[in-house]
Amino acid sequence: MDLNTVVEIRDARTPAPWRPGDAWLGGGTFLFSEPQPHLRRLVDLSRTGWTPAERRPDGSVELAATCTIAALSRFAKELDVPAAPLFEQCCRAFLASFKIWNMATVGGNLCNALPAGPMISLTAALDGTCLLIAQDGGRREAPVADFVTGAGRADLAEGELLRSVTLPAGALGRRTAFRQASLYGLGRSGVLVIGTAEPRGGLVTVSVTAATVRPVRLRFGSAPTASALRAALAAAVGDDEWFDDIHGLAVWRRHMTFRLADEIRGELREAVR
């Protein structure tokens, strides 16, 4: 879609004061998908030269905000960690064309903060931490689970930039389990639940996205019982936090979340015995 109110595209490598009507441009798959009448200038990140994804010496993984879904998928195929399969599962949760895969970015998916955003699902489940850079150069960090605050809402100040997301080595060393549900065979995620478990019966986490307006993270010292998991989910998600739109009623999303979470509980319990 043409953005006929945009009068300038600025290279992000050239510093300039932030102005009302500015927006960061990564892949542009959301920006150009619908009218944006409030925009006047796009600040283009495509030439920053940031490494899309890399393994650090401490075993963690850093994903640049400009890392495309296609680049992430290629990177994960060479990633030798127990959690590696989860990367491809979340990439495939886009159910998008190759054109979207080659343009859509990790950072854009997080900053749009849509409940069905699978990069939110991936990075929240693996204890991801966002690096945010303010217009004055100040830096701060925020866990992904706290960065997304609601449907279409993220913890971003005016002009603040999401630079990268770091996934710690400890999370990458966990066994993972993935469940997704949609009303349609090739539809947007209505429910996406991810479980992780440390080896030898350690920490177990259950993350819920798509069904809720924000990521919900549950932690257990060991594999929970069915009743403990249900009680924790019921306490963690308020009645007004189940997402409700054309892709699924809130009551259906809640039902499927409890069902899929219990399946994950059983899978991880068998895996860590």
Side-chain angles (χ1 to χ4, degrees):
M1 172 174 290
D2 291 338
L3 301 181
N4 57 15
T5 60
V6 172
V7 296
E8 181 184 355
I9 297 180
R10 180 173 70 79
D11 191 329
R13 296 173 298 176
T14 304
W18 191 262
R19 305 189 312 216
D22 282 358
W24 298 108
L25 172 62
T29 55
F30 171 75
L31 281 180
F32 289 94
S33 69
E34 59 183 47
Q36 310 283 349
H38 62 290
L39 295 185
R40 299 295 179 269
R41 182 173 66 168
L42 302 180
V43 185
D44 184 13
L45 297 167
S46 65
R47 300 177 185 177
T48 53
W50 298 335
T51 301
E54 62 180 336
R55 190 85 180 271
R56 290 174 163 179
D58 64 359
S60 64
V61 165
E62 182 181 64
L63 305 177
T66 50
C67 178
T68 64
I69 307 311
L72 180 61
S73 175
R74 291 192 296 269
F75 171 78
K77 287 179 172 61
E78 305 298 324
L79 188 61
D80 185 19
V81 295
L86 185 61
F87 286 73
E88 186 69 11
Q89 289 169 323
C90 288
C91 287
R92 294 291 170 186
F94 267 102
L95 297 174
S97 71
F98 74 94
K99 293 180 287 185
I100 298 297
W101 263 50
N102 281 280
M103 293 301 296
T105 62
V106 172
N109 198 245
L110 267 71
C111 292
N112 284 335
L114 300 179
M119 295 298 99
I120 299 171
S121 309
L122 171 68
T123 55
L126 295 180
D127 295 339
T129 299
C130 300
L131 173 60
L132 304 162
I133 304 177
Q135 282 295 299
D136 63 4
R139 297 184 173 217
R140 66 182 178 98
E141 295 184 341
V144 171
D146 296 332
F147 175 71
V148 177
T149 60
R153 300 199 311 271
D155 179 21
L156 279 170
E158 182 69 19
E160 197 168 28
L161 170 67
L162 171 60
R163 168 62 180 84
S164 61
V165 180
T166 299
L167 310 175
L172 296 170
R174 299 174 192 156
R175 170 69 185 268
T176 65
F178 175 96
R179 294 291 190 281
Q180 178 191 23
S182 171
L183 287 178
Y184 320 101
L186 293 176
R188 178 179 296 178
S189 297
V191 183
L192 203 157
V193 185
I194 296 171
T196 71
E198 291 181 346
R200 297 175 295 279
L203 176 70
V204 172
T205 71
V206 176
S207 303
V208 179
T209 53
T212 52
V213 297
R214 58 175 178 84
V216 173
R217 295 270 287 147
L218 304 177
R219 297 176 183 270
F220 304 91
S222 59
T225 63
S227 59
L229 177 59
R230 289 187 64 86
L233 276 172
V237 187
D239 291 341
D240 60 344
E241 292 185 308
W242 295 103
F243 195 49
D244 191 339
D245 71 352
I246 193 173
H247 299 284
L249 296 175
V251 64
W252 173 78
R253 293 180 195 258
R254 185 182 189 279
H255 169 76
M256 291 302 297
T257 295
F258 278 76
R259 173 179 170 180
L260 299 182
D262 192 58
E263 289 182 9
I264 280 177
R265 180 191 66 84
E267 180 178 332
L268 291 179
R269 181 185 58 191
E270 294 300 320
V272 299
R273 277 183 175 177

